[in-house]
């Protein structure tokens, strides 16, 4: 699927201000053209029309660009979980929140797919991804612990957090493995996460 990002070159007279999203778009255009490994922070800053120092006001490293404004994303997922009805079964609440967290507008799907391709397929990102996965699991574990009235480090909150991430990663991999543009990521996630509630013995 083709990106609709701007050309990864600075334009004369470009204003010297930016945002997380603008820098991310410029970086993804460069990653698509030159590859992740060959793209440097200086390349991204130059294409965005900013200095290296300004780049680091937005992202700590090139690796962080791939994840976007991840802390803000996690904050939204935490808010989605907390907004679930208190009488809703725990695993159902997690399923709904995670599916909605991964729902993106049609025009953003190419970048979302490119993001997951980089996260799951680029060896240089694997160690960094492990740290991000831990932050993601912590959001689910915190919610589960609160619902269960248990310490966040205890078995069941941690089991739910690890299981949810594992299922989500399997759905991401399945989505990336198909060239069918009609395949919907949220549908895959919904089906996969339903097994948290129904159990794997009842899979179709």
């Amino acid at each position: 699927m083709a990106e609709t990002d701007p050309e990864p070159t600075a334009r004369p007279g470009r204003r010297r201000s930016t945002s997380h999203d603008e820098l991310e778009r410029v970086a993804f255009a460069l990653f698509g053209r030159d590859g992740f490994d060959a793209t440097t922070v200086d390349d991204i800053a130059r294409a965005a029309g900013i200095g290296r120092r300004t780049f680091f006001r937005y992202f700590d490293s090139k690796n962080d660009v791939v994840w976007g404004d991840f802390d803000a994303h996690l904050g939204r997922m935490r808010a989605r979980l907390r907004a679930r009805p208190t009488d809703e079964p725990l695993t159902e609440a997690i399923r709904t929140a995670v599916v909605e967290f991964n729902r993106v507008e049609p025009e953003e799907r190419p970048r979302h797919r490119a993001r997951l391709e980089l996260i799951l397929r680029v060896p240089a990102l694997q160690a960094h991804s492990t740290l991000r996965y831990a932050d993601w699991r912590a959001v689910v574990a915190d919610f589960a612990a609160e619902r269960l009235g248990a310490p966040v480090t205890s078995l069941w909150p941690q089991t739910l957090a690890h299981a949810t991430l594992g299922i989500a990663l399997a759905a991401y991999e399945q989505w990336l493995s198909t060239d069918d543009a009609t395949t919907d990521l949220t549908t895959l996630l919904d089906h996969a996460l339903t097994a948290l509630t129904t159990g794997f013995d009842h899979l179709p």
Side-chain angles (χ1 to χ4, degrees):
M1 303 172 82
E3 272 286 0
T4 57
D5 290 336
E7 287 295 320
T9 55
R11 296 189 294 271
R14 184 186 182 120
R15 60 185 175 80
R16 300 186 67 81
S17 63
T18 190
S19 66
H20 275 93
D21 189 67
E22 184 180 359
L23 263 182
E24 186 182 328
R25 287 183 182 278
V26 170
F28 270 75
L30 287 168
F31 296 154
R33 188 189 74 180
D34 302 330
F36 178 82
D37 291 332
T39 302
T40 67
V41 167
D42 288 333
D43 292 334
I44 298 169
R46 188 180 307 111
I50 61 173
R52 181 182 176 89
R53 182 178 299 179
T54 301
F55 172 91
F56 287 114
R57 291 175 186 166
Y58 292 93
F59 295 103
D60 291 336
S61 69
K62 181 179 72 170
N63 291 352
D64 287 299
V65 178
V66 176
W67 290 84
D69 194 356
F70 191 62
D71 290 340
H73 294 324
L74 288 186
R76 286 191 285 274
M77 187 167 83
R78 193 182 298 275
R80 286 186 182 281
L81 286 165
R82 288 177 173 170
R84 301 310 304 166
T86 56
D87 59 348
E88 185 175 45
L90 175 57
T91 54
E92 179 67 12
I94 292 172
R95 181 192 64 79
T96 302
V98 172
V99 168
E100 290 305 311
F101 175 72
N102 282 274
R103 196 180 300 280
V104 297
E105 296 299 324
E107 63 271 17
E108 284 296 313
R109 287 174 189 166
R111 183 158 46 139
H112 194 47
R113 191 180 183 96
R115 185 193 311 282
L116 292 174
E117 286 272 9
L118 289 168
I119 290 170
L120 296 174
R121 305 283 168 80
V122 175
L125 283 168
Q126 297 310 300
H128 186 76
S129 295
T130 298
L131 299 175
R132 293 304 199 183
Y133 292 155
D135 292 338
W136 194 97
R137 289 196 311 268
V139 173
V140 177
D142 286 343
F143 173 72
E146 183 178 348
R147 280 291 188 92
L148 295 170
V152 71
T153 56
S154 61
L155 179 62
W156 295 122
Q158 290 300 316
T159 297
L160 279 168
H162 280 266
T164 303
L165 177 62
I167 290 171
L169 290 175
Y172 297 155
E173 289 280 10
Q174 188 71 26
W175 188 50
L176 295 177
S177 70
T178 179
D179 294 326
D180 184 357
T182 65
T183 300
D184 183 62
L185 173 60
T186 54
T187 299
L188 291 173
L189 282 165
D190 186 63
H191 288 166
L193 287 166
T194 296
L196 276 178
T197 299
T198 62
F200 290 93
D201 289 338
H202 302 288
L203 296 180

